[in-house]
Amino acid sequence: MAKTVKKFETEVQQLLDLVIHSLYSNKEIFLRELISNASDAIDKIKFESHSNMELLEGNADWKIKLHADKEAGTLTITDNGIGMSMDEVADNIGTIAKSGTKNFVAALKEQNLADNPELIGQFGVGFYASFMVADKVVLTTRRAGDKQYGCRWESTGDGSYSIEECEKETRGTEIVLHLKDDMKEFLDEWKIRSIVKKYSDYVQYPIVMDITRSEPVKDAEGKVIEGGGTIDKTTEETLNSMKAIWTRPKSEITEEEYEEFYKHISHDYDKPLSTIHYSAEGVSEFKAIVYIPSHKPFDLFLRDHKKGVHLYVKRVYITDNCEALLPDYLRFIKGVVDSSDLPLNVSREILQEDVQIKRIQKSLVGKVLSTLAEMKEKNPDDYLKFYGEFGPVLKEGIHFDYANKEKLQDLLLFESSKTEKGKFVSLKEYVERMPEGQKEIYFITGMSRESVENSPYMEALHKKDYEVLYMTDPVDEWVVQAIHEYQEKHLKAIDRGDLELDTEEEKKEKEAKKEEAKKEFGGVMEYIQETLKDRVKEVRLSSRLTESACCLVADEMGLNANMEKILKAMNQEVPEGKRILELNPEHQIMQVMTAMFEKDKTNPKLADYSELLFDQALLTEGSPIKDPLRFTRLVSELMVAGGK
């Protein structure tokens, strides 16, 4: 058959323009695509040879060979796979509607055959990546079993191609890329090695290249001959490891191999805290090895922190930063996911927004959370180490991952009024040891254990011997907004809203006392309210104070002092709001101020005392006071007066 020149279909020409100018962000991708296609071709013949051994033609030494010719400016990729006939070349490369691999898989599905080979991509698309780096591409191929006819296809990517019959001694495909002048770097040995290592290291067939090195001349016994000069020696080297550890059974992998692989992908030279290796089958098929590190990286909370596991599709590298596979609160997880059926867009670089991605993410998240739950139960020391490093990050999931909120709740730990410093309690343990009569789970947020355990808000809880959770991570303010209750027990902030700790009988008794106190202190409370009207929403008697004179309380849904500090630290605008000033009716200051008020309602000291009470409340919650100089002057005057 004579050489025939044909025009590409319109869609193919459009695709070529897209590939050459914008489809791939990195031109070195072309080699990944061609190696992937060669791997597909070997997969196909291995599969078809099960039913027809003659296709092997006596050659089952699978390999993909690269050859760089700097003088000619060509890079050649050769495989001993299934090859193509003349018609297949015309169909698969002349159009994009048809694809050799796509049709092959479709045929297998129609036959309902088991053990289908995993085929990487669509030949008719990945092949066009060649034109990013080459101004001419020559493809020579012969289908296995058809020794009489080979086929040569040639194009400069200008809208047309030529096709003709030719002789080819061996089956398979050879692609010669005539590289553009500014693409000759792809002929350098180090460049080829780096691309293969990055993208195709785990392809299951050897990727080989002839390497020439100068060696000193040796005698028959292998000893170097002094003054004998050097000689060029060429050997065929395998560039890829082919050792995809995640494809091997767990029973065959040692701890040392797991650790070595972790160090390789994470660049962390400490051992991981835990290794998760599993395969998912069914609707979504993938293999994964993911690791829980033993310590957090320095950039974990930085905006440009690199997150996401390494993604492979049928052993071919796609990205080392696949954020879609794990939610942000698991950004510390390192590892690899290799999917058998993950759909990619035409460039393989951008994942399609597909239900398959969500299935993989759901499976991965479930596996990580169940591993953490098991660690918490069986290896509490390891879990405490993990929680000390990643607890604040894990807590983010409570706010954002509603589907896994219950699992995450059981992973949370807090210090409390019943634990020593550095010891923790879970929500489950808290509920199990709640005394009879306690209705709610009590907590307080703050900047540190020291600041919350000495807080006046704790006084009534101490008296009742109720446990209070200390929430001292900034993220805890958002956690408690998402967890309204646990095991039908409402979570209650002890510095917000009303605090009801009493039984019905105690409540009646206290209400009676409070009514008497309102009558006794009503006048002075109105005076304090009027004096501080620009700074407090309300002045009322407290049921939470037993020793301190006063405290400031937020509304049930209002901002407390800790939340205000966090927002200011984040340079967020803090809405103006007033809190409630609660006064302890049993504190002596109430009798003193009431006596002063009844004696002389115009006494200027009453205003000073009101200011002092407000400033005192600010200081005890850790907030700054408006006029420190005036505060110290008033305190000094009181000290002088008390000493007379």
Side-chain angles (χ1 to χ4, degrees):
M1 177 181 174
K3 180 186 290 189
T4 304
V5 177
K6 296 183 179 181
K7 290 282 187 182
F8 282 118
E9 288 190 353
T10 304
E11 294 85 351
V12 176
Q13 188 57 49
Q14 291 172 346
L15 176 64
L16 267 173
D17 292 337
L18 187 63
V19 167
I20 294 169
H21 298 110
S22 60
L23 183 59
Y24 293 93
S25 61
N26 193 341
K27 292 188 183 299
E28 66 185 22
I29 296 293
F30 83 93
L31 190 53
R32 178 189 75 180
E33 295 297 299
L34 296 180
I35 289 173
S36 297
N37 291 336
S39 175
D40 281 359
I42 297 174
D43 277 340
K44 289 178 185 178
I45 192 168
K46 281 182 68 177
F47 186 78
E48 290 193 8
S49 65
H50 289 319
S51 56
N52 183 4
M53 288 292 291
E54 292 183 4
L55 293 176
L56 295 179
E57 301 177 10
N59 178 9
D61 182 19
W62 315 115
K63 70 170 67 173
I64 300 164
K65 187 158 188 173
L66 310 179
H67 176 69
D69 187 335
K70 289 191 175 183
E71 289 186 10
T74 60
L75 179 64
T76 303
I77 300 92
T78 306
D79 68 69
N80 57 350
I82 192 73
M84 288 181 286
S85 66
M86 176 83 74
D87 290 341
E88 286 173 326
V89 170
D91 284 347
N92 295 336
I93 302 182
T95 70
I96 59 172
K98 293 184 179 180
S99 159
T101 297
K102 190 174 181 180
N103 289 344
F104 180 69
V105 173
L108 290 177
K109 286 181 179 177
E110 286 178 11
Q111 297 172 47
N112 196 26
L113 295 176
D115 301 320
N116 292 350
E118 293 185 342
L119 304 173
I120 292 168
Q122 299 184 348
F123 183 89
V125 173
F127 171 75
Y128 295 129
S130 307
F131 289 99
M132 290 192 298
V133 297
D135 49 26
K136 184 169 79 168
V137 177
V138 180
L139 177 146
T140 307
T141 186
R142 176 171 73 74
R143 205 177 200 292
D146 187 1
K147 296 182 180 181
Q148 188 174 358
Y149 298 109
C151 170
R152 179 177 290 110
W153 180 99
E154 184 176 321
S155 176
T156 57
D158 60 354
S160 65
Y161 62 91
S162 66
I163 188 169
E164 61 181 323
E165 287 182 353
C166 68
E167 291 185 3
K168 189 174 186 300
E169 187 177 339
T170 58
R171 67 157 195 274
T173 301
E174 175 189 272
I175 299 172
V176 180
L177 308 181
H178 295 260
L179 298 182
K180 300 174 183 177
D181 289 338
D182 58 346
M183 296 294 162
K184 297 296 174 65
E185 65 172 320
F186 294 113
L187 297 175
D188 293 335
E189 179 192 328
W190 71 268
K191 186 68 173 178
I192 294 171
R193 283 183 182 275
S194 66
I195 296 172
V196 171
K197 188 71 177 175
K198 180 177 181 180
Y199 295 102
S200 307
D201 194 43
Y202 302 118
V203 169
Q204 62 184 318
Y205 307 112
I207 302 166
V208 302
M209 185 165 70
D210 289 337
I211 305 297
T212 301
R213 296 281 187 268
S214 293
E215 293 184 358
V217 176
K218 298 177 182 178
D219 60 22
E221 296 178 0
K223 295 179 181 179
V224 175
I225 301 173
E226 290 189 20
T230 60
I231 187 172
D232 287 343
K233 185 176 181 180
T234 301
T235 57
E236 186 179 86
E237 288 189 20
T238 300
L239 307 183
N240 60 323
S241 70
M242 298 176 283
K243 295 178 181 178
I245 185 174
W246 58 85
T247 64
R248 293 161 54 193
K250 285 190 281 187
S251 59
E252 297 179 6
I253 305 173
T254 65
E255 283 300 315
E256 289 74 18
E257 287 178 304
Y258 277 128
E259 288 172 16
E260 194 61 36
F261 186 62
Y262 169 72
K263 292 173 183 178
H264 170 68
I265 62 172
S266 69
H267 308 296
D268 178 7
Y269 292 99
D270 291 332
K271 293 180 181 180
L273 190 62
S274 182
T275 301
I276 304 169
H277 183 186
Y278 80 112
S279 299
E281 297 179 351
V283 179
S284 176
E285 294 190 3
F286 66 92
K287 295 178 175 66
I289 296 181
V290 294
Y291 299 90
I292 300 171
S294 57
H295 61 85
K296 59 178 174 282
F298 73 92
D299 60 348
L300 182 63
F301 293 100
L302 297 182
R303 187 171 296 179
D304 56 354
H305 169 69
K306 197 171 186 180
K307 53 198 173 188
V309 296
H310 293 226
L311 175 65
Y312 287 74
V313 174
K314 303 177 183 74
R315 297 189 180 203
V316 175
Y317 170 86
I318 303 300
T319 177
D320 62 355
N321 191 28
C322 188
E323 297 181 21
L325 290 179
L326 281 175
D328 203 46
Y329 71 90
L330 293 178
R331 59 186 177 273
F332 53 84
I333 295 292
K334 303 296 181 183
V336 164
V337 171
D338 187 354
S339 171
S340 299
D341 50 10
L342 188 64
L344 303 174
N345 78 337
V346 72
S347 74
R348 302 179 195 258
E349 294 184 277
I350 306 167
L351 292 170
Q352 292 178 353
E353 281 301 323
D354 183 89
V355 67
Q356 195 75 339
I357 303 294
K358 291 182 170 57
R359 287 191 185 121
I360 295 177
Q361 187 196 75
K362 182 179 179 181
S363 177
L364 269 180
V365 171
K367 192 68 175 179
V368 171
L369 295 185
S370 65
T371 300
L372 289 173
E374 184 178 1
M375 185 191 297
K376 179 172 172 284
E377 185 72 25
K378 297 181 179 179
N379 300 296
D381 289 342
D382 282 353
Y383 188 75
L384 283 175
K385 185 177 181 182
F386 158 79
Y387 201 78
E389 296 289 327
F390 301 108
V393 187
L394 190 71
K395 288 176 183 177
E396 295 173 13
I398 293 287
H399 196 76
F400 295 106
D401 189 354
Y402 183 81
N404 288 297
K405 190 169 82 169
E406 289 187 11
K407 293 178 183 177
L408 286 165
Q409 285 175 174
D410 285 327
L411 293 173
L412 300 183
L413 296 177
F414 304 97
E415 290 189 56
S416 82
S417 57
K418 293 289 182 73
T419 66
E420 299 174 17
K421 187 173 182 179
K423 302 293 184 180
F424 297 89
V425 62
S426 66
L427 291 173
K428 182 181 179 183
E429 290 167 335
Y430 180 102
V431 170
E432 286 174 349
R433 63 196 196 196
M434 281 173 59
E436 189 176 348
Q438 183 179 339
K439 300 174 184 176
E440 298 176 303
I441 298 172
Y442 298 108
F443 70 89
I444 181 171
T445 58
M447 304 306 288
S448 66
R449 180 185 176 112
E450 290 73 18
S451 66
V452 295
E453 68 181 348
N454 297 316
S455 168
Y457 305 113
M458 294 287 297
E459 292 173 3
L461 282 300
H462 280 316
K463 191 173 181 180
K464 279 282 188 181
D465 198 31
Y466 286 169
E467 186 172 13
V468 179
L469 298 175
Y470 296 156
M471 299 192 174
T472 53
D473 284 328
V475 71
D476 287 337
E477 288 286 358
W478 284 271
V479 168
V480 294
Q481 290 177 29
I483 305 179
H484 301 295
E485 63 176 41
Y486 179 82
Q487 292 188 7
E488 300 182 351
K489 301 290 184 182
H490 181 70
L491 268 71
K492 171 64 180 172
I494 65 172
D495 62 349
R496 289 186 179 97
D498 293 319
L499 200 60
E500 296 182 3
L501 305 174
D502 302 315
T503 63
E504 288 301 318
E505 289 184 8
E506 290 172 331
K507 194 183 296 183
K508 288 178 183 178
E509 185 181 336
K510 284 195 174 181
E511 281 298 324
K513 285 185 178 180
K514 190 177 282 189
E515 288 303 316
E516 290 179 15
K518 283 181 181 178
K519 292 175 184 178
E520 183 179 356
F521 305 127
V524 74
M525 288 174 64
E526 288 180 11
Y527 178 88
I528 297 170
Q529 172 82 57
E530 180 62 26
T531 305
L532 301 175
K533 63 182 179 182
D534 294 334
R535 281 175 280 179
V536 300
K537 179 180 180 181
E538 178 188 349
V539 176
R540 71 186 183 195
L541 295 175
S542 179
S543 59
R544 72 189 83 214
L545 298 175
T546 61
E547 297 176 10
S548 301
C550 58
C551 67
L552 286 167
V553 178
D555 285 329
E556 192 68 46
M557 303 304 293
L559 291 182
N560 64 358
N562 189 58
M563 189 63 172
E564 286 186 0
K565 289 176 201 169
I566 292 170
L567 292 175
K568 287 176 181 176
M570 296 167 63
N571 293 319
Q572 297 289 318
E573 186 175 338
V574 179
E576 278 192 36
K578 299 176 183 179
R579 293 198 289 282
I580 299 162
L581 179 65
E582 287 194 352
L583 303 174
N584 182 359
E586 297 179 5
H587 199 280
Q588 194 174 357
I589 189 66
M590 295 301 294
Q591 280 82 20
V592 172
M593 290 187 70
T594 298
M596 290 171 64
F597 180 77
E598 290 176 350
K599 184 177 180 180
D600 181 5
K601 294 180 175 59
T602 62
N603 187 341
K605 288 291 182 186
L606 283 168
D608 289 344
Y609 281 22
S610 299
E611 295 280 353
L612 281 172
L613 281 172
F614 180 71
D615 285 348
Q616 181 183 327
L618 286 173
L619 288 173
T620 54
E621 72 176 15
S623 297
I625 56 179
K626 186 177 181 181
D627 191 347
L629 289 175
R630 184 170 185 274
F631 176 79
T632 55
R633 179 176 59 79
L634 290 174
V635 171
S636 298
E637 288 176 3
L638 279 173
M639 292 171 69
V640 171
K644 289 181 179 178

